[in-house]
Amino acid sequence: MQVDWFVSVRDEETGVHRYRGGAGFDRASVIEQVIRAGRDIACREDGAVVGVVGEVVIDGTAVGAIAFGDRAVSDEELCREIGMQFDRVRSSSGFRRDGR
């Protein structure tokens, strides 16, 4: 079963939203893609932070605000937070951890 995901970060300076989306077939790939996309759009090419917090939607369900632009938050911490939210979404949508 394919799971679609979506990340947005509001540019705190301009008010413009930056978006990224994708899809994965298992928990690990979805979480990895979400973190990579969130980190990417939370910062400009020069490394300046566009927005600290991004919104994540997995399988059509909002999973809450994630601190993609906060350099003090490690990828491992983001993985745990998104993983907990992903599991909550998965249990309500019928998506199983092993992808079936």
Side-chain angles (χ1 to χ4, degrees), residues 3-8 34 54-66 68 81-82 84-90 92-93:
V3 173
D4 296 321
W5 59 266
F6 175 79
V7 177
S8 68
V34 167
E55 296 293 326
V56 177
V57 175
I58 297 176
D59 200 25
T61 302
V63 298
I66 304 294
F68 293 114
E81 176 66 24
I82 295 166
M84 287 187 305
Q85 299 297 339
F86 182 95
D87 292 342
R88 179 182 57 80
V89 169
R90 185 202 72 221
S92 66
S93 70

Side-chain angles (χ1 to χ4, degrees), residues 25-58:
F25 290 95
D26 61 51
R27 181 181 189 272
S29 68
V30 169
I31 293 171
E32 179 183 317
Q33 290 172 41
V34 167
I35 292 171
R36 189 173 41 242
R39 291 282 199 199
D40 186 47
I41 64 174
C43 297
R44 292 188 178 87
E45 289 182 17
D46 66 2
V49 175
V50 168
V52 174
V53 176
E55 296 293 326
V56 177
V57 175
I58 297 176

